[in-house]
Amino acid sequence: MSHLLEVLGRGLIAQLVGAFDSILGTNTEEEIEDLERLVEASPSDVSARVRLGGKLLRSDRIADARRIFEAIIAQDPEHFAARIGLACALDALGRVDLSLEQLRTAQKADPLNPSILFCLGYCHERLNQDDAAITYYEDSISVCPTLRNAHERLAAIYLRREMIEAAADHYTRLCELDPEQTELQLGLANLLLKQGEHQKAIARYEYALSLEPDNWTAHNDVVSAYEEAGLIREAIEHLHKMIEKEPEFADTRLRLGDMYARIGNDSAATLQYERAAQISPDYLEANVKLGTQHLRAGRFEQASQWFSTALELNDRLLSAYVGIGVAQHASGRTAEALSSFEMARNIEPNSTLLFSEVARMHLKAAAGQQSERFILGSNPAGESDTPEHLTDLLSQQIQRVRDAITQSPNHADLHYRLGLLLRNRGQLDDAIASFRQAATINPTYMKALIKLGLALSEADQTEEAIDVFKQATDVRPDYVDLHYQIGLLFVQRNQFEMAVEHFEQAVSGNPGNVAFQANLALSLQNMGLIDRAQATWQIVRELAPDSEYAEQAQRAMAKSREE
């Protein structure tokens, strides 16, 4: 389901100015202060004034930018860049209708400019004029077939209209443009599954899984021989030679980090793990090992953030295997479907373990304690945490979540997190109840649905588990429309903030207000408009009796808008 909801959120841009960097000169290294001095010294330098206006737009000084562009147009109504700049300023001020007029005027001077065509479509879409939006998006693609945002917005509109074949066609073209991007492949797989193209969906899911870096097999006999002989420094030297020849191979970086970790070189190990994660951000093992290295050094916050990213990557693998299973079941391949669900069950404990450990680390950091626990492997020598102590930390975190739920019973994410913690402690029935409650509160919460299905499967409630998995990979039309509208509203910052503010005023004093903020943030996460890993870490940090969940949601949304 989340991959379908992500289709609705892709291609949205926060500011039109991002489409016109070259025209407005916002891609230069000039500072606003320097441009202001230049304009003051040479008022007739229109190019400098345009660049200043563009920089002001990028700095959210919208009113100042608008005045500059309007002054230029007053002197020269045909000035193309100023007309574009004014359109961007008006859009940033929430006047999409007026921005559209400026873009139409600019198009007369450059009728085949793909950025103008896309932005015309984008303005029409946000004015709920879908037919006109489709026309302009298609025109922009005809001029520039690689214009990714246009394909993404067309797919969103077609999904909303339940024209699944058309949406899948645009994702097929996106996958052709960028065949190595896992998220695009998963998006197409979910669209094909919704379309009823089960065999094609299975093929896409399997291809997406093949792209996961953790499925790479890269072994070097020489390094293995050195390692087995205990010649770690020789192994390190050989790996460096390999990196000189292939510096962008993440697996070699990861292995080099392992070697440095073995000899206790924290800074070198961390550097290599970070490089592996930079080269391949989806590399689950790199994220886990980087988190582990920070944990060993007592850097709890950094460790938790990397483990939170690893948690999201692991959940993506879960969703792919569940998707394959649903497609196999729909095509009558029941035995294969059960095998895929079993594969998901096999990797699911990583998610519950990672979240539980992040929660424990938060408590350790708060207490100023140290730990060297290796999360996905054996504990190193000198392990100081006893099982009883670790269990006590987990119990403390469970109690914190329960206390938070008492304050905010309609907070879906809290029930989900409680389910993860209970699942890690082996309380399967209680975990099922928590996951079920999370999905009841928010029926589009894919992760909660998948965890519920896996827990039901483990409890031998196979038929209900399959029904839940089907629910997790599909989404009702009214939910599609709701998320579509939220996405469009979110990128219009002024309207979004006003809408949230008006709702908060309307329900002032209502205890459910906190849940509204949290569930709104969850909806934005579902569409990929808020970073999930960061949100996971934030909610762990906020799990205390006096938590301000509304503030957390506001911070997450503000961070996303700034980016």
Side-chain angles (χ1 to χ4, degrees), residues 346-361:
N346 289 337
I347 64 174
E348 188 271 338
N350 286 344
S351 291
T352 55
L353 179 58
L354 282 166
F355 181 76
S356 297
E357 291 300 334
V358 169
R360 283 173 175 151
M361 271 185 283

Side-chain angles (χ1 to χ4, degrees), residues 151-168:
H151 286 294
E152 290 172 331
R153 293 319 304 156
L154 282 167
I157 293 173
Y158 287 135
L159 174 58
R160 182 196 182 200
R161 290 185 168 192
E162 294 195 75
M163 299 170 64
I164 310 304
E165 184 176 356

Side-chain angles (χ1 to χ4, degrees), residues 58-358:
R58 282 296 197 184
S59 300
D60 282 331
R61 292 172 56 182
I62 311 302
D64 293 337
R66 177 181 181 177
R67 282 192 291 270
I68 288 175
F69 294 128
E70 286 179 335
I72 295 174
I73 291 173
Q75 297 173 352
D76 180 7
E78 304 301 320
H79 199 284
F80 179 72
R83 190 71 65 176
I84 291 292
L86 181 56
C88 294
L90 290 168
D91 179 77
L93 292 169
R95 296 306 308 270
V96 181
D97 52 341
L98 297 181
S99 175
L100 193 56
E101 293 179 9
Q102 299 299 324
L103 288 171
R104 288 191 182 118
T105 301
Q107 187 198 14
K108 295 176 182 177
D110 190 358
L112 296 181
N113 185 303
S115 295
I116 294 178
L117 291 170
F118 171 81
C119 289
L120 283 167
Y122 194 54
C123 287
H124 279 293
E125 183 182 5
R126 287 179 295 153
L127 292 172
N128 292 313
Q129 299 168 2
D130 287 358
D131 290 337
I134 289 171
T135 298
Y136 280 113
Y137 285 146
E138 293 286 5
D139 287 346
S140 68
I141 290 173
S142 67
V143 176
C144 181
T146 61
L147 191 56
R148 175 170 168 167
N149 288 62
H151 286 294
E152 290 172 331
R153 293 319 304 156
L154 282 167
I157 293 173
Y158 287 135
L159 174 58
R160 182 196 182 200
R161 290 185 168 192
E162 294 195 75
M163 299 170 64
I164 310 304
E165 184 176 356
D169 176 64
H170 281 283
Y171 262 72
T172 300
R173 293 157 75 179
L174 283 167
C175 288
E176 290 170 354
L177 292 172
D178 193 359
E180 301 301 309
Q181 186 168 339
T182 305
E183 289 295 338
L184 289 178
Q185 298 291 342
L186 289 174
L188 177 56
N190 270 50
L191 287 168
L192 291 169
L193 182 59
K194 187 172 180 64
Q195 188 182 343
E197 294 283 357
H198 302 127
Q199 298 303 324
K200 291 181 179 179
I202 291 170
R204 287 289 172 176
Y205 279 122
E206 291 177 340
Y207 181 70
L209 287 170
S210 75
L211 295 176
E212 291 294 333
D214 296 88
N215 292 337
W216 294 347
T217 55
H219 301 285
N220 183 283
D221 293 338
V222 176
V223 174
S224 297
Y226 280 136
E227 187 175 7
E228 290 174 8
L231 302 173
I232 305 303
R233 296 191 181 279
E234 287 78 0
I236 289 173
E237 183 179 350
H238 190 83
L239 285 166
H240 273 292
K241 291 178 180 178
M242 292 173 61
I243 288 172
E244 287 177 6
K245 296 179 181 179
E246 293 185 272
E248 297 303 306
F249 193 47
D251 199 61
T252 306
R253 297 278 184 177
L254 188 73
R255 199 166 185 189
L256 180 56
D258 290 343
M259 295 299 105
Y260 277 123
R262 284 191 61 173
I263 64 173
N265 191 331
D266 172 54
S267 60
T270 301
L271 177 65
Q272 295 303 324
Y273 289 145
E274 285 179 345
R275 188 70 189 111
Q278 289 167 359
I279 293 170
S280 184
D282 295 341
Y283 202 164
L284 176 61
E285 188 178 358
N287 282 272
V288 170
K289 288 190 173 181
L290 184 51
T292 300
Q293 193 64 33
H294 283 301
L295 177 57
R296 283 173 165 166
R299 298 185 292 267
F300 296 111
E301 181 152 349
Q302 295 95 318
S304 296
Q305 290 177 349
W306 284 105
F307 283 134
S308 295
T309 301
L311 171 60
E312 291 305 317
L313 293 174
N314 196 72
D315 282 344
R316 190 171 72 182
L317 287 174
L318 278 176
S319 70
Y321 281 115
V322 167
I324 289 177
V326 170
Q328 290 168 332
H329 188 270
S331 59
R333 296 158 58 180
T334 305
E336 294 177 50
L338 293 176
S339 177
S340 295
F341 295 146
E342 180 65 23
M343 180 63 76
R345 277 180 55 185
N346 289 337
I347 64 174
E348 188 271 338
N350 286 344
S351 291
T352 55
L353 179 58
L354 282 166
F355 181 76
S356 297
E357 291 300 334
V358 169

Side-chain angles (χ1 to χ4, degrees), residues 324-553:
I324 289 177
V326 170
Q328 290 168 332
H329 188 270
S331 59
R333 296 158 58 180
T334 305
E336 294 177 50
L338 293 176
S339 177
S340 295
F341 295 146
E342 180 65 23
M343 180 63 76
R345 277 180 55 185
N346 289 337
I347 64 174
E348 188 271 338
N350 286 344
S351 291
T352 55
L353 179 58
L354 282 166
F355 181 76
S356 297
E357 291 300 334
V358 169
R360 283 173 175 151
M361 271 185 283
H362 173 59
L363 292 179
K364 283 177 171 291
Q369 298 169 346
Q370 298 292 316
S371 173
E372 291 184 343
R373 192 163 192 268
F374 195 125
I375 287 188
L376 295 185
S378 59
N379 294 342
E383 174 64 78
S384 59
D385 285 326
T386 64
E388 293 79 10
H389 179 57
L390 294 173
T391 300
D392 182 60
L393 287 175
L394 183 59
S395 297
Q396 289 181 45
Q397 196 67 7
I398 288 174
Q399 188 56 51
R400 288 191 175 209
V401 181
R402 291 192 188 279
D403 290 343
I405 288 175
T406 299
Q407 294 182 21
S408 306
N410 294 321
H411 192 317
D413 205 42
L414 287 177
H415 290 280
Y416 171 71
R417 305 301 174 185
L418 178 59
L420 290 177
L421 295 170
L422 293 170
R423 182 74 182 80
N424 183 249
R425 199 160 69 172
Q427 296 177 228
L428 184 60
D429 290 342
D430 292 335
I432 288 174
S434 291
F435 293 141
R436 197 187 300 278
Q437 184 63 21
T440 299
I441 294 170
N442 191 327
T444 66
Y445 201 168
M446 180 182 180
K447 290 194 295 185
L449 288 166
I450 286 179
K451 296 299 192 303
L452 174 59
L454 291 172
L456 288 168
S457 177
E458 185 170 343
D460 294 325
Q461 301 178 43
T462 306
E463 291 187 9
E464 185 182 358
I466 292 174
D467 288 340
V468 171
F469 288 144
K470 290 178 181 178
Q471 185 182 348
T473 54
D474 199 4
V475 59
R476 284 171 30 185
D478 55 334
Y479 292 147
V480 168
D481 187 64
L482 172 64
H483 282 78
Y484 175 85
Q485 297 294 348
I486 288 175
L488 289 184
L489 186 61
F490 180 66
V491 294
Q492 300 177 70
R493 293 174 296 174
N494 294 333
Q495 290 91 327
F496 181 81
E497 290 165 358
M498 287 174 60
V500 172
E501 182 180 348
H502 288 165
F503 180 88
E504 289 174 332
Q505 291 175 352
V507 297
S508 179
N510 186 334
N513 188 22
V514 168
F516 158 74
Q517 282 280 6
N519 289 318
L520 176 58
L522 181 58
S523 294
L524 295 169
Q525 288 177 53
N526 285 339
M527 290 184 286
L529 297 175
I530 287 181
D531 183 80
R532 297 186 186 94
Q534 182 67 21
T536 296
W537 172 227
Q538 285 292 344
I539 200 168
V540 171
R541 295 180 64 180
E542 297 292 339
L543 285 177
D546 58 349
S547 294
E548 293 291 340
Y549 293 102
E551 182 182 345
Q552 172 220 337

